[in-house]
């Protein structure tokens, strides 16, 4: 089997995915008898296109600007070429625009309308237009995977496949590393909010606009996707009640501490409600994780809580989630082919 793919967005996540694909390409070929052929990489100002397949080694050499590559053409746009390239899978790793979901939303719709499977690490289309995208994928019988959108490599969405004999009834989570880092530093070292935010930005976790982190919107977007996927809801970010951490004072944290509590920025889906807000939790609670980690506690009907913890962001973390999705699609396509 040959799988013709394109990547849209060669930023940190896109480049990490390419690096992992380079490392795993041979294993995928041996294990699944599948040749992954990268036909195109789109960037904002142009594209690299070779219908015989781009050579990953050439593209991942840091000392050579990929725009110098002989297959680079300026001003080509993914939205114009997705339908023309004879693709099997379109991977979108563009940056998140929380207001419009663009350009990823257009890419996803264009791919699905042309019966091309989709993988996305861009979350905005899914917290803005979840129902529309899922219906379109269904109507066109396409696979659509977006594990990297929530907590990167933590199997936050695919856990559903492993709990199929159970029922998830509630979600409690910490889904924004930046806010958790800030609250952790304010709690353990009495560091003021502004300094802790600056530190988090230096760690490279914060969004370009950190208000999306500390205002709770990033966590709310991820919560919407989680709830839709795991609880079967069809909500959008407009349905979420969102309160950030900007009003949390060192004094509030100190008082909570005296009583054995910590302040955490929780994302909760329960009783048909989506809530992101600071809450006091017992110091000994499993949700009391520190630093930039993410945690997802799923309440299940027959087995109590199931908890996932890990890094919620980072190039290789998200890149490996994209590769998981790609291998999932390869395995499913093989099953269909062998029927
Ligand atoms: N800004 C996000 C965070 C990165 O701090 O968790 C991952 O979406």
């Amino acid at each position: 089997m040959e799988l013709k793919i394109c990547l849209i967005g060669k930023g940190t996540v896109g480049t990490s995915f390419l690096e992992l694909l380079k490392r795993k390409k041979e294993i995928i070929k041996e294990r699944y008898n599948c040749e992954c052929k990268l036909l195109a990489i789109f960037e904002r100002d142009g594209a690299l296109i070779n219908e015989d397949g781009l050579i990953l080694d050439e593209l991942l050499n840091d000392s050579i600007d990929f725009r110098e590559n002989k297959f680079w053409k300026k001003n080509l746009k993914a939205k114009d070429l997705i339908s023309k390239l004879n693709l099997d899978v379109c991977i979108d790793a563009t940056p998140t625009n929380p207001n419009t979901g663009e350009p990823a939303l257009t890419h996803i719709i264009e791919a699905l309308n042309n019966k091309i499977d989709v993988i996305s690490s861009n979350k905005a289309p899914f917290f803005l237009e979840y129902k529309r995208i899922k219906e379109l994928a269904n109507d066109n019988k396409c696979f659509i995977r977006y594990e990297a959108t929530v907590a990167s490599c933590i199997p936050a969405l695919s856990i559903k496949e492993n709990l199929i004999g159970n029922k998830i009834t509630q979600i409690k989570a910490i889904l924004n590393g930046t806010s958790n880092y800030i609250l952790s530093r304010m709690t353990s070292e009495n560091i003021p909010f502004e300094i802790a935010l600056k530190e988090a930005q230096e760690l490279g976790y914060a969004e370009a606009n950190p208000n999306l982190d500390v205002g709770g919107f990033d966590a709310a977007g991820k919560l919407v996707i989680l709830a839709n996927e795991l609880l079967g809801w069809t909500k959008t970010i407009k349905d979420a009640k969102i309160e950030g951490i900007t009003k949390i004072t060192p004094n509030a944290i100190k008082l909570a501490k005296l009583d054995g509590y910590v302040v955490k920025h929780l994302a909760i889906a329960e009783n048909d409600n989506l809530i992101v807000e600071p809450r006091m939790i017992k110091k000994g609670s499993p949700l009391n994780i520190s630093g930039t980690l993410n945690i997802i506690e799923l309440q299940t009907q027959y087995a109590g809580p199931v908890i996932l913890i890990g890094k919620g962001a980072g190039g290789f973390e998200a890149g490996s989630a994209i590769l998981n999705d790609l291998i999932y699609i390869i395995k499913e396509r093989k099953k269909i082919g062998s029927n």
Side-chain angles (χ1 to χ4, degrees):
M1 176 167 90
E2 189 179 76
L3 202 72
K4 293 184 281 303
I5 61 182
C6 84
L7 171 71
I8 313 174
K10 194 182 174 297
T12 311
V13 172
T15 305
S16 303
F17 161 72
L18 291 180
E19 180 60 45
L20 292 175
L21 182 63
K22 186 181 102 176
R23 291 184 203 174
K24 301 267 184 170
K25 217 170 167 270
E26 283 312 307
I27 297 174
I28 292 173
K29 200 170 158 184
E30 268 168 39
R31 197 166 296 168
Y32 306 108
N33 192 21
C34 176
E35 179 88 51
C36 293
K37 198 187 248 190
L38 181 68
L39 299 196
I41 300 175
F42 292 94
E43 257 299 322
R44 232 170 274 177
D45 54 340
L48 282 161
I49 297 178
N50 180 3
E51 296 198 39
D52 294 326
L54 295 161
I55 311 286
L56 287 169
D57 278 320
E58 287 175 11
L59 306 172
L60 293 165
N61 186 337
D62 281 343
S63 58
I64 305 169
D65 182 355
F66 67 88
R67 289 177 176 83
E68 302 293 319
N69 189 292
K70 65 178 174 190
F71 295 111
W72 173 256
K73 285 202 186 73
K74 267 206 279 193
N75 300 327
L76 294 180
K77 296 271 177 225
K79 68 178 170 61
D80 301 325
L81 289 171
I82 286 171
S83 62
K84 306 208 168 75
L85 278 173
N86 193 20
L87 292 164
D88 297 308
V89 182
C90 175
I91 301 170
D92 190 288
T94 56
T96 298
N97 178 331
N99 300 315
T100 64
E102 296 297 357
L105 183 57
T106 296
H107 299 151
I108 291 170
I109 289 169
E110 183 66 8
L112 295 176
N113 275 332
N114 285 281
K115 306 207 179 299
I116 298 164
D117 294 338
V118 168
I119 299 170
S120 176
S121 61
N122 187 323
K123 51 188 156 309
F126 299 90
F127 62 66
L128 294 170
E129 297 276 2
Y130 183 87
K131 192 164 178 272
R132 180 180 170 202
I133 293 172
K134 292 293 270 196
E135 282 174 359
L136 197 58
N138 210 25
D139 291 348
N140 286 292
K141 299 188 173 44
C142 289
F143 295 111
I144 176 139
R145 304 285 294 181
Y146 37 95
E147 186 64 74
T149 60
V150 181
S152 67
C153 60
I154 301 177
L157 307 180
S158 48
I159 185 80
K160 188 183 172 188
E161 287 145 30
N162 297 306
L163 290 173
I164 198 108
N166 209 315
K167 187 180 178 199
I168 301 165
T169 54
Q170 184 210 51
I171 302 165
K172 265 192 192 166
I174 293 174
L175 296 170
N176 185 267
T178 303
S179 297
N180 198 54
Y181 179 87
I182 294 170
L183 290 177
S184 304
R185 293 288 282 156
M186 286 174 77
T187 306
S188 62
E189 312 290 334
N190 297 322
I191 283 172
F193 176 89
E194 291 74 20
I195 307 279
L197 170 60
K198 206 159 172 282
E199 284 180 5
Q201 285 176 303
E202 279 161 13
L203 286 174
Y205 258 49
E207 300 295 307
N209 171 5
N211 287 331
L212 297 175
D213 297 298
V214 298
F217 304 104
D218 176 73
K222 293 168 184 166
L223 180 66
V224 170
I225 301 172
L226 263 184
N228 287 350
E229 201 66 20
L230 303 185
L231 304 177
W233 298 358
T234 50
K235 297 199 186 275
T236 76
I237 197 158
K238 289 197 188 101
D239 299 311
K241 176 179 166 282
I242 308 170
E243 191 186 322
I245 59 163
T246 49
K247 291 187 196 134
I248 305 291
T249 60
N251 204 33
I253 288 179
K254 207 164 115 192
L255 287 174
K257 233 166 140 179
L258 288 176
D259 285 337
Y261 285 86
V262 287
V263 180
K264 287 282 158 191
H265 200 206
L266 295 191
I268 300 167
E270 62 183 356
N271 304 326
D272 209 36
N273 293 314
L274 294 165
I275 303 160
V276 174
E277 65 184 11
R279 283 202 184 176
M280 293 212 295
I281 59 166
K282 278 272 183 205
K283 198 170 171 247
S285 159
L287 288 166
N288 183 16
I289 50 156
S290 57
T292 53
L293 288 175
N294 282 191
I295 181 165
I296 299 160
E297 183 185 275
L298 306 172
Q299 211 42 251
T300 68
Q301 192 173 6
Y302 305 115
V306 171
I307 300 176
L308 301 167
I309 304 179
K311 289 185 182 176
F316 280 107
E317 290 79 357
S320 67
I322 295 177
L323 191 62
N324 276 351
D325 284 343
L326 187 66
I327 295 171
Y328 174 91
I329 289 174
I330 291 170
K331 286 166 78 173
E332 290 302 309
R333 278 177 166 252
K334 276 188 80 80
K335 276 189 215 161
I336 295 167
S338 61
N339 278 340

